[in-house]
Amino acid sequence: MGVLEISDLVAQWDERTGERVQVRRADVVDRLLAAGAGRAARIVRRMPVTGEFLDPVAVDRILIRVHTELQRLNEELHMAQRFAELLVPILAVLRATGSRLRVVDIGCGVGFTVRSLAASGVLGADVELVGVDFNHALVAEATRLAEDEGLPCTFVRADAFALAEGATVYLSCGVLHHFAADRLPEFFRAQDRAGALAFIHYDIAATRLAPLGAWLFHRARMREPLGRHDGVASAQRAHGDTVLLSAAAAADGMDAFLYESFRHTNPFCAAMRPVVGLRPALVDDVRRALGRRARRLVAG
């Protein structure tokens, strides 16, 4: 059955209406046991229920705690700076063309990337920052945090496969591995639309050491059992370079690349690396804007 993440199973929504669907705890436990994930099944057995269904309020609280801990990990891995390393030169090229500058983070969780970029102002005041997520509770928490911090960014609920939010540049961080390989082309095609000129999607590099690095890092830095389990599962589910580039090629109007960051905060961690998409007419200008870093932009 492959590797399963608890967070993908305990909160579900109707893809057509966006309404929350009740999740029977026994069904989740059975799926995890069938996949050989006994520890994950024990974690779910301890989650509160209303009758036979998982309590949605309790589930949301757990997911918010997990994403809050993930924010700490993202800070330690300097993910906002990694995005800025690519976004600043790309947006400089787009700014010169007179394009509207709107950056949308898909699967934003509690909005760490968007809020960090908004707080730093590194992208410029003319860039609109938006985070989208399918989980209502995470969107509400991201909105609350941004308001408390007084940040110029917004968060809305949206489906990654049927994006209502247009963007100049689409982002994501740690989202790609949540989708099966055969669904990735659909994910990239959803971003090949009028007005979209680039995408940057960071995810775990699928290396032999990635699961071990994820285990060490999450064990040391995370306290929520669900987050510890899913952190390792994420590394085990990470897609290889060939799979990512092949899927990104489904966005016919984009040229796809891998980009290897020159900085690795912790050599024992699973490395994060992005797949980048650019409209063909922009590639040469973006390479010039990247300067020496352009050699790290590798075509499929």
Side-chain angles (χ1 to χ4, degrees):
M1 293 183 66
V3 179
L4 300 177
E5 292 187 50
I6 299 170
S7 57
D8 289 339
L9 304 178
V10 296
Q12 297 179 19
W13 289 265
D14 185 297
E15 292 188 8
R16 183 178 57 85
T17 65
E19 295 298 317
R20 191 161 195 153
V21 177
Q22 286 187 312
V23 177
R24 186 175 283 103
R25 184 171 66 180
D27 291 344
V28 177
V29 170
D30 288 346
R31 285 193 64 185
L32 291 167
L33 289 174
R39 180 173 176 273
R42 290 193 294 274
I43 292 170
V44 174
R45 282 197 185 104
R46 294 196 294 268
M47 297 176 71
V49 292
T50 301
E52 58 185 326
F53 298 102
L54 288 169
D55 182 342
V57 175
V59 168
D60 287 344
R61 287 174 180 163
I62 292 171
L63 293 179
I64 289 172
R65 287 200 300 270
V66 169
H67 279 267
T68 301
E69 291 186 328
L70 283 173
Q71 173 174 303
R72 189 166 61 246
L73 298 189
N74 284 330
E75 289 171 346
E76 190 159 344
L77 291 171
H78 302 294
M79 290 311 304
Q81 292 92 324
R82 292 187 183 200
F83 274 109
E85 179 183 353
L86 286 167
L87 275 171
V88 169
I90 289 174
L91 291 173
V93 170
L94 301 182
R95 192 174 281 114
T97 68
S99 300
R100 177 192 182 193
L101 302 180
R102 192 171 198 256
V103 174
V104 172
D105 180 13
I106 302 170
C108 66
V110 295
F112 167 76
T113 299
V114 167
R115 290 189 292 110
S116 296
L117 292 170
S120 70
V122 67
L123 302 184
D126 58 338
V127 179
E128 182 182 2
L129 289 164
V130 181
V132 302
D133 201 285
F134 208 55
N135 186 315
H136 296 271
L138 296 180
V139 169
E141 179 66 5
T143 299
R144 183 189 71 79
L145 290 170
E147 290 175 350
D148 285 350
E149 296 158 354
L151 298 174
C153 53
T154 57
F155 297 92
V156 296
R157 187 195 165 279
D159 183 351
F161 293 90
L163 288 164
E165 293 296 320
T168 316
V169 183
Y170 286 105
L171 314 175
S172 74
C173 184
V175 169
L176 297 180
H177 67 267
H178 285 280
F179 307 133
D182 60 0
R183 292 210 73 188
L184 283 175
E186 183 184 353
F187 172 81
F188 286 107
R189 275 195 296 269
Q191 298 159 50
D192 187 11
R193 54 191 293 177
L197 302 177
F199 58 71
I200 305 169
H201 297 294
Y202 262 99
D203 208 358
I204 302 166
T207 65
R208 285 185 179 182
L209 290 178
L212 175 60
W215 183 86
L216 289 170
F217 201 44
H218 285 76
R219 190 72 184 175
R221 291 290 186 255
M222 299 193 77
R223 296 293 174 263
E224 183 62 49
L226 186 153
R228 285 181 170 182
H229 172 273
D230 281 9
V232 177
S234 296
Q236 293 172 325
R237 296 175 67 182
H239 298 292
D241 295 351
T242 302
V243 171
L244 290 175
L245 287 171
S246 175
D252 294 332
M254 300 277 194
D255 287 349
F257 305 86
L258 288 175
Y259 183 81
E260 294 186 359
S261 176
F262 62 91
R263 290 182 181 175
H264 298 281
T265 303
N266 187 331
F268 297 102
C269 298
M272 299 291 288
R273 183 168 60 180
V275 57
V276 177
L278 297 167
R279 294 295 183 192
L282 300 173
V283 172
D284 289 343
D285 288 339
V286 169
R287 284 190 178 278
R288 281 191 288 271
L290 283 169
R292 290 185 177 182
R293 291 168 295 171
R295 65 179 179 271
R296 301 185 178 273
L297 196 64
V298 182

